[in-house]
Amino acid sequence: MFERKKLAVADIRGDPEKRYRILPAYLYMLEKTNPDTKTSLVVDKDNRFRYLFVALGASIEGFEYMRKVITVDATFLKTIEGGCLIIATAQDPNLHHYPIAFAVVDGEKNESWKWFFTTLKTVIPDSTELVFVSDRNPSLIKAVAEVYPMSKHGYCIWHISHNVKGHVNHGRDEVALLFRKVACLYSEPEFKKQYDDFRERYPSCARYLDKSVEVERWAKCHFPGARYNIDTSNCAESLNAVFEKARRMSLLPMLDTVIEKMSEWFNRHRKDAAEGPSSRKLVPLVENKLHNRTPKGSKLTVTPLNTFQLEYSVIGADGKTYSVDLQHKTCSCRKFDIDKYPCRHAIGAIIKCLKHDRPLQLSDMYDFISKYYFITLWAKAYRRTIYPVPHITHWMVPKEVAAAKCPLPPDYKKRKGRHQEKRHPSAGESRPRPRPNKYIPNRGLASYFNCSQGTEGTEGAEGTEGAEGTEGAEGAEG
């Protein structure tokens, strides 16, 4: 049956061996069509395909103008050859996907993850500014620590929230939502207060978090790096959903699909950056937020503390006093610090500063906003065109590439049982277990009314066994 399926797939999508034979030539044309593109192809000792890495030159150059946060995720491929698709993506300042690199590997293993990050490091060097966000796959965590020791690594709060809700019996979705709200708090005092309330209300969840996850990895206010608004790896995971159909294709059609989609996104966002009045300086998301905050910030009571150091005391709309340091771009509410653009309290202080103190080094509101939110950088990130690989009849490949030893398809071994349809859960991740069947086999209602001596003993034994089995199942479910 399996062999017939392979033949049927080959008839529809082409012979896999033929497609793998042209893979070196395909990668050559991809690099030629898109300058500065980085590809890497690895085979095993039997010359069978093992790993493939692709980072397009346009993405490599454009990442220079992006916030230095990379989300990473892997998903299995639904093909005869199997394997996993790894995607590393940034998020542009207007909250759009910005894929940096993708790879095909043989699975989520220590060796494959280390190879991926080692290859990624050739285009994205290690730095203290760099942040990775992912689920808690042990192999991934180990690889990041070994290959990118200077970077910071945060965990996806969405995944952790699903782990947390597995430690309560009722109201699981409510618990997950409450945890995510606590994780996204900016202020450390507010976090401590609400996390203590969460701990008191759900002690089993708090014990799980204390035991398995460092608070610095998931709490926004405690994270040591610049994570901005990126609290989850959903950016990478949603790309996996976008490429759902592509993951069912053989290798080259899948690569074509990914590249075509990236080309479409680059073109769309390039036009977005060019639209609007020339006076607009910030990306629409931040421009709109500041537009809403400015009228409220202008009404706050601001008291100068040190005009030389640009320090101010601001009474917020909630009646609390906040300390704003414009020189270091911080506020005690921590939104200014983390998001890298002014909160309401900072806006009130900036208005006071520019109107009355007039520091020589500052001229307007834009001096207090991170460079990554300006349209000029946003446009630069998308300025290069991504070109699809031309049809094979238009290829011009050097003799040494055409004569190179071509890889064979992976040696896929058919596993017993059904083909996997859902991804493997990450470390600590819980999945809803199927509810146990409460029906007890071979136990009809008539047995309760059978008073014969021989049946009574049987009924008693069955009743005890059934009750114990049901109780055990319910206990496991809880």
Side-chain angles (χ1 to χ4, degrees), residues 14 102 113 181 187-188 207 366 380 385 454 472 477:
F102 53 94
W113 273 118
K181 287 182 177 179
S187 164
E188 289 187 26
R207 284 195 298 270
Y366 299 110
K380 285 181 179 180
T385 305
E477 181 187 351

Side-chain angles (χ1 to χ4, degrees), residues 439-451:
Y439 171 70
I440 304 172
N442 303 322
R443 177 90 179 273
L445 287 175
S447 62
Y448 288 99
F449 304 100
N450 192 333
C451 298

